[in-house]
Amino acid sequence: MAAFGTVFMPQMALAQYDNGAWSQTEIVSSNSLTLHPGAHVLHYSSTCFEGLKAFRHADGSVNIFRMDANIERMAQSSQLLNLPAIDKAQLKQMIIDIVARFKDGVPETPGSMYIRPTHIGTEAAIGKAAAPTESSLLYVLLSPVGDYFAGGGKALSLLLEEDGMRCAPHMGMVKSGGNYASALGPILAAKSRHDADQVLFCPNGDVQETGAANFILIDGNEIITKSLDRSFLHGITRDSILTLARDRGMTVSERSLSVDELLERAAKPGTEAALSGTAAVLTPVGTLIRGEQRFSVGSGEAGETTLALRKALNQVQWGESDDPHGWLTPVK
């Protein structure tokens, strides 16, 4: 499999918003877009996106995982960025139709078809730094993928960043490209200076998220993760993992977690940590770096509970277990 997200299906679904209304959906080439150089998105970052997956089951059927939740979050991101309101029913049909068109291209498990709906402001108006775009473009790309992290189940190392933030606090719950761009510098510095895989942003000692995934701590039968607020992304995989943990009788604590408490709990032999996300699924964390010190999380290896929860999620996605929460949408 090529590097994650670098191969695309030759066509995409596209709709345009102009004069107060959305156009009919078109299926067009995915090789290029035509934008005016003064497009709002290019100057004022009026853009948001989603990431979800379609999976091939053993019976040959293809199913999209938690599409409705992703559509709701995209509607929220568009609203918070003051982009034109999306037509949620239209976006749902766009996703289903483009996946159905390339159904034969959905890889066998553990691969999947990554689905990337994207919404951008297109109005040519460089004088609108303090005003929203009046036109926009909504499109859905497909990319067949394997594992996001090349190491698969290898436990990652995270640098604890206690000074900076991933993004502006009021923008955290928006899935916008600017938030990822602002985290890139700290991530590259952490890799260069500390050989870290990612940065765990902990402004003023408050454990939040990494540059591209939510953070989860597992201490015995308890899962601890930050309670939802505007400062970080409300991950759909995070919600799925917490739901499966509750189904297994685990205690889920959504609350503030300080760096000091994190390191204290990490020192216990059975503690585990993980990153959750559409791409990452549930990836174990084995090492935390604070300053020049490195701290193992539990054994420093992938933990049993992390692997069990990842397996439980995969089994639903892959059609190997029941879907009691109605997370799967079959593609005809």
Side-chain angles (χ1 to χ4, degrees):
M1 185 68 68
F4 191 99
T6 60
V7 175
F8 298 94
M9 294 294 99
Q11 293 178 309
M12 62 182 177
L14 180 147
Q16 301 181 65
Y17 183 89
D18 205 6
N19 297 319
W22 283 99
S23 70
Q24 294 293 313
T25 300
E26 301 175 80
I27 303 298
V28 301
S29 170
S30 60
N31 286 335
S32 63
L33 285 174
T34 300
L35 288 176
H36 191 283
H40 200 275
V41 62
L42 301 177
H43 300 269
Y44 306 119
S45 298
S46 52
T47 172
C48 59
F49 64 92
E50 276 300 320
L52 60 158
K53 289 177 177 177
F55 298 90
R56 181 174 302 284
H57 292 182
D59 62 3
S61 67
V62 170
N63 292 262
I64 304 171
F65 183 71
R66 300 208 66 178
M67 175 174 58
D68 291 340
N70 281 273
I71 291 172
E72 288 296 332
R73 190 171 64 179
M74 188 159 204
Q76 174 183 270
S77 292
S78 297
Q79 179 184 23
L80 293 173
L81 288 171
N82 294 290
L83 281 160
I86 66 169
D87 182 330
K88 291 186 281 189
Q90 181 179 20
L91 177 56
K92 181 174 183 176
Q93 198 61 50
M94 289 171 72
I95 294 170
I96 291 172
D97 288 349
I98 197 65
V99 172
R101 177 172 288 246
F102 293 103
K103 191 175 178 181
D104 291 345
V106 178
E108 300 288 341
T109 57
S112 61
M113 183 68 81
Y114 191 83
I115 306 165
R116 174 55 64 91
T118 307
H119 190 192
I120 62 174
T122 56
E123 184 181 3
I126 59 175
K128 279 197 155 186
T133 181
E134 293 184 8
S135 62
S136 67
L137 196 63
L138 179 65
Y139 58 91
V140 182
L141 282 169
L142 298 182
S143 176
V145 298
D147 279 337
Y148 180 62
F149 291 108
K154 169 183 169 289
L156 304 179
S157 61
L158 307 182
L159 176 68
L160 305 179
E161 173 55 73
E162 297 177 67
D163 295 323
M165 302 184 70
R166 175 175 179 259
C167 60
H170 69 286
M171 288 291 290
M173 62 191 290
V174 181
K175 195 168 179 65
S176 181
N179 289 351
Y180 292 81
S182 68
L184 189 56
I187 293 169
L188 293 176
K191 290 180 178 180
S192 174
R193 298 171 191 168
H194 301 276
D195 194 29
D197 295 298
Q198 257 289 355
V199 171
L200 179 56
F201 291 95
C202 310
N204 301 313
D206 177 38
V207 177
Q208 293 189 341
E209 62 183 334
T210 68
N214 292 135
F215 178 79
I216 291 173
L217 183 69
I218 302 171
D219 186 354
N221 198 49
E222 182 182 19
I223 282 189
I224 305 169
T225 189
K226 183 175 173 62
S227 54
L228 297 178
D229 62 27
R230 291 174 63 90
S231 69
F232 75 107
L233 191 64
H234 300 181
I236 292 165
T237 304
R238 170 193 179 278
D239 178 73
S240 304
I241 291 294
L242 297 185
T243 299
L244 293 174
R246 291 188 184 100
D247 289 348
R248 296 165 66 93
M250 296 185 69
T251 299
V252 175
S253 299
E254 296 183 76
R255 61 171 177 81
S256 295
L257 176 66
S258 69
V259 169
D260 289 339
E261 181 185 357
L262 169 60
L263 293 177
E264 180 182 342
R265 286 179 178 265
K268 298 165 65 174
T271 302
E272 304 174 32
L275 301 182
S276 67
T278 302
V281 188
L282 192 64
T283 300
V285 173
T287 304
L288 302 172
I289 306 167
R290 190 184 202 185
E292 300 302 319
Q293 290 185 281
R294 302 177 78 90
F295 303 85
S296 289
V297 180
S299 67
E301 304 295 332
E304 290 184 7
T305 303
T306 298
L307 296 179
L309 287 171
R310 178 183 174 119
K311 181 178 179 180
L313 179 60
N314 282 153
Q315 285 178 326
V316 175
Q317 293 172 327
W318 299 346
E320 296 176 357
S321 67
D322 293 336
D323 177 26
H325 302 288
W327 287 340
L328 296 173
T329 300
V331 176
K332 303 300 184 185

